[in-house]
Amino acid sequence: MIFNTAKVMSKGQITLPIDIRKSMKLSTGDRVALILQNDRVIMMNPAIYAMETLQSEMEGEWAKAGINSEDDINALMKEIRTEVEGL
């Protein structure tokens, strides 16, 4: 864990400490996602945030669709290929 502080400037801007920028592999112009959760701000890569959100929202959807095994997935893929090839 890295702990550091940053000062909020008049326009609401902060400078991220170098150790945090290096750890997150951030360069000039990169974007970050800021998530306010209760009394905390979480900063993360927006692509990772999007993927985690998608995974969370899709949880349980396979079971609802009746897909419970790798065989079910293979059968679905075969069905889709047959439909696409028939077009």
Side-chain angles (χ1 to χ4, degrees):
M1 180 163 94
I2 298 173
F3 175 81
N4 215 318
T5 63
K7 182 178 180 180
V8 179
M9 304 306 283
S10 63
K11 293 184 180 182
Q13 298 170 323
I14 63 169
T15 299
L16 296 176
I18 188 83
D19 51 345
I20 292 175
R21 291 193 315 263
K22 284 182 178 179
S23 176
M24 292 186 69
K25 298 180 175 108
L26 294 172
S27 300
T28 301
D30 287 349
R31 293 196 160 284
V32 295
L34 300 173
I35 302 105
L36 179 61
Q37 217 172 47
N38 300 321
D39 63 342
R40 300 168 197 260
V41 174
I42 300 166
M43 181 178 68
M44 61 190 307
N45 179 313
I48 292 172
Y49 177 70
M51 182 57 68
E52 287 179 358
T53 300
L54 178 62
Q55 287 174 333
S56 173
E57 290 178 2
M58 295 301 294
E59 191 171 341
E61 292 300 315
W62 286 107
K64 287 180 190 175
I67 299 171
N68 300 303
S69 69
E70 191 172 331
D71 289 339
D72 292 338
I73 293 171
N74 290 333
L76 177 61
M77 293 301 294
K78 185 176 180 179
E79 181 183 326
I80 292 169
R81 284 188 187 117
T82 302
E83 286 179 20
V84 170
E85 290 170 0
L87 294 178

